[in-house]
């Protein structure tokens, strides 16, 4: 399905400029914390303020947000600083309350995006409403589920639509709280070039030190904007304390961002791209030849009554090429993945021949 997308149309904001920045605390905790953080951010030129009013928590008993009580604080932020306000909505009731309180931008959290029933209910509650909606990726790395959620909201007539990349749950996380799996938002961008994608370095990184490098990476990859958690007293935050930064620190990070916006194709770039095209051609050629030899091996195995999978040989290839790859400056895991994929296709082709 095509998405019908218009600009986010955010009042007073030049959307042609990158990055579009949304900042504010993970949660609205107290009126004082909200106002204090908001004033500091506004002084630094931030013009969209985020704060979670309703917080989805993994286990009951954690801080679940102040709820309705916090909405008048968001109103005050708007009146006193002129910033637009944004909050997470997870149910039709949240949508109704947020809109009545004059919240300017709604976002849908990762846990909600993962649930098509919840998404449809939200979409139904947004019919006939003119408000920008940002859909975070689902917790699991499933691009189709993310797109499905965007389609549901779009189907309700919301064209002021955007996506937020906040990383994905993964079993082998080391560095990140949520693995960025950049190829997923990049594929989303390839399919919907007009859909603004905003990076959430706070929930990807989970740690303060990672905010700056992740912001830079997002800019280098052409993301439209950033949504960053910022708190007037991060260490004492009631949720996500480790990943929040002071408004001053955020300002410092944004100040040092290098934003490359030139799409101009110079001669040397196009010459380099020609080289890449030629090398890719060679790669395909080599792969085709390799598969041909592999099919010949299959014929041999069939004639000699041998099994397709010879695990000893497979391990030998993985080890040898893995080590070679590392010597050539490549990541061992990357080489392993390539050889696993080649091997899988090779086995598929051999099976074809053996079972004929
Ligand atoms: C948040 O933005 O504070 C939040 C709860 O994020 P996510 O839905 O990405 O976990
Ligand atoms: Mn948070």
């Amino acid at each position: 399905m095509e998405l019908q997308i218009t600009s986010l149309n955010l009042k007073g904001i030049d959307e042609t400029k990158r990055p579009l920045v949304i900042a504010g605390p993970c949660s609205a905790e107290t009126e004082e914390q909200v106002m204090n953080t908001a004033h500091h951010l506004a002084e630094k030129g931030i013009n969209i303020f985020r704060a979670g009013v309703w917080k989805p928590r993994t286990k009951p008993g954690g801080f679940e947000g102040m709820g309705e009580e916090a909405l008048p604080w968001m109103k005050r932020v708007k009146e006193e600083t002129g910033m637009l306000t944004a909050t997470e909505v997870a149910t039709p009731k949240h949508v109704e309350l947020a809109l009545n309180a004059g919240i300017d931008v709604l976002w849908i959290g990762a846990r909600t995006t993962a649930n098509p029933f919840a998404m449809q209910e939200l979409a139904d509650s947004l019919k006939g409403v003119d408000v920008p909606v940002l859909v975070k990726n689902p917790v699991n790395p499933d691009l189709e589920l993310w797109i499905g959620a965007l389609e549901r909201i779009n189907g309700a007539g919301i064209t002021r639509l955007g996506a937020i990349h906040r990383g994905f749950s993964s079993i082998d996380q080391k560095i990140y709280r949520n693995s960025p799996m950049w190829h997923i938002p990049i594929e989303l961008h390839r399919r919907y070039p007009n859909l603004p994608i905003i990076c959430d370095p706070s929930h990807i990184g989970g740690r303060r030190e990672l905010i700056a490098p992740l912001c830079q990476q997002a800019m280098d990859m052409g993301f439209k904007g950033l949504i960053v958690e910022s708190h007037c007293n991060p260490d004492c935050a009631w949720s996500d304390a480790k990943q929040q930064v002071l408004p001053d620190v955020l300002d410092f990070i944004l100040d040092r961002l290098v934003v490359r916006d030139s799409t101009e194709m110079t001669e040397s770039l196009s010459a380099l791209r020609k080289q890449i095209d030629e090398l890719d051609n060679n790669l395909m050629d080599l792969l085709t030849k390799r598969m041909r030899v592999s099919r010949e091996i299959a014929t041999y195995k069939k004639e000699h009554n041998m099994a397709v999978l010879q695990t000893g040989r497979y391990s030998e290839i993985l080890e040898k090429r893995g080590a070679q790859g590392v010597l050539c400056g490549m990541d061992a895991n990357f080489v392993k993945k390539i050889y696993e994929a080649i091997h899988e296709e090779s086995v598929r082709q051999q099976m074809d021949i053996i079972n004929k």
Side-chain angles (χ1 to χ4, degrees):
M1 194 175 111
E2 267 310 300
L3 294 177
Q4 302 303 316
I5 302 161
T6 55
S7 109
L8 289 171
N9 209 354
L10 302 167
K11 213 166 130 207
I13 294 174
D14 178 2
E15 286 173 47
T16 60
K17 287 223 180 85
R18 283 197 320 140
L20 178 81
V21 180
I22 304 171
C26 177
S27 315
E29 300 163 3
T30 64
E31 185 162 12
E32 198 194 345
Q33 168 252 8
V34 167
M35 294 315 299
N36 191 346
T37 309
H39 279 292
H40 276 104
L41 288 168
E43 270 168 35
K44 300 295 177 193
I46 301 294
N47 38 30
I48 312 172
F49 181 77
R50 68 149 281 161
V53 167
W54 298 279
K55 302 301 296 178
R57 302 314 298 266
T58 305
K59 288 187 179 155
F63 174 55
E64 296 189 325
M66 295 304 290
E68 258 186 277
E69 197 188 325
L71 289 170
W73 312 339
M74 298 296 271
K75 230 178 182 161
R76 244 191 95 191
V77 168
K78 216 167 129 152
E79 285 161 6
E80 288 183 25
T81 68
M83 282 193 279
L84 300 180
T85 54
T87 203
E88 170 174 349
V89 289
T91 66
K93 188 73 191 162
H94 295 165
V95 171
E96 185 194 323
L97 291 168
L99 292 174
N100 284 340
I103 299 279
D104 304 282
V105 179
L106 305 180
W107 87 75
I108 292 161
R111 292 155 194 79
T112 311
T113 308
N115 180 345
F117 290 126
M119 282 310 302
Q120 194 53 51
E121 279 189 12
L122 279 175
D124 292 341
S125 76
L126 284 162
K127 278 203 181 111
V129 179
D130 179 26
V131 67
V133 178
L134 307 174
V135 180
K136 285 196 161 194
N137 64 257
V139 278
N140 51 322
D142 183 342
L143 177 60
E144 299 311 319
L145 191 58
W146 195 1
I147 292 176
L150 287 157
E151 284 178 354
R152 286 179 201 275
I153 299 296
N154 197 220
I158 301 283
T159 57
R160 298 164 73 190
L161 196 61
I164 299 176
H165 169 232
R166 50 79 78 196
F168 302 89
S169 280
S170 116
I171 40 162
D172 54 4
Q173 295 149 352
K174 288 173 213 116
I175 306 171
Y176 303 105
R177 174 176 173 193
N178 289 295
S179 170
M181 304 188 189
W182 296 105
H183 61 282
I184 296 179
I186 286 171
E187 173 62 13
L188 181 67
H189 182 58
R190 192 187 67 78
R191 289 212 224 164
Y192 305 100
N194 296 330
L195 179 75
I197 308 183
I198 293 168
C199 181
D200 176 344
S202 310
H203 291 89
I204 294 175
R207 290 190 279 142
R208 248 160 249 158
E209 316 84 84
L210 291 176
I211 306 299
L214 282 166
C215 285
Q216 186 60 56
Q217 253 181 302
M219 286 302 101
D220 293 346
M221 278 186 267
F223 278 71
K224 177 83 199 163
L226 300 166
I227 178 166
V228 187
E229 286 188 343
S230 177
H231 191 291
C232 57
N233 188 358
D235 284 329
C236 298
W238 298 0
S239 59
D240 290 349
K242 287 200 191 96
Q243 70 196 32
Q244 305 204 54
V245 293
L246 282 167
D248 271 348
V249 174
L250 175 64
D251 184 53
F252 182 85
I253 292 171
L254 295 176
D255 217 41
R256 270 149 194 80
L257 270 189
V258 181
V259 183
R260 300 178 181 89
D261 263 331
S262 165
T263 47
E264 191 192 336
M265 268 269 260
T266 60
E267 256 177 51
S268 54
L269 178 61
S270 85
L272 288 169
R273 290 211 166 136
K274 271 207 189 92
Q275 275 191 54
I276 291 281
D277 284 344
E278 214 174 296
L279 289 166
D280 279 345
N281 251 329
N282 293 346
L283 269 177
M284 291 311 290
D285 238 31
L286 276 173
L287 275 177
T288 312
K289 280 183 192 146
R290 195 187 188 283
M291 291 300 162
R292 201 178 304 138
V293 174
S294 171
R295 285 199 300 273
E296 275 176 37
I297 292 180
T299 311
Y300 179 93
K301 283 177 180 165
K302 188 176 182 176
E303 282 165 10
H304 294 78
N305 216 14
M306 288 167 76
V308 163
L309 201 60
Q310 306 278 324
T311 43
R313 170 72 180 143
Y314 178 43
S315 309
E316 181 197 324
I317 291 179
L318 277 186
E319 263 167 45
K320 207 159 127 192
R321 299 305 163 195
Q324 187 185 5
V326 172
L327 277 177
C328 297
M330 283 178 277
D331 182 74
N333 236 335
F334 163 72
V335 179
K336 188 165 167 253
K337 266 195 220 145
I338 288 186
Y339 270 91
E340 277 167 355
I342 292 177
H343 185 255
E344 197 180 316
E345 175 61 12
S346 186
V347 167
R348 191 191 66 79
Q349 296 207 13
Q350 293 201 349
M351 288 290 203
D352 246 19
I353 289 175
I354 291 198
N355 294 323
K356 233 183 231 155

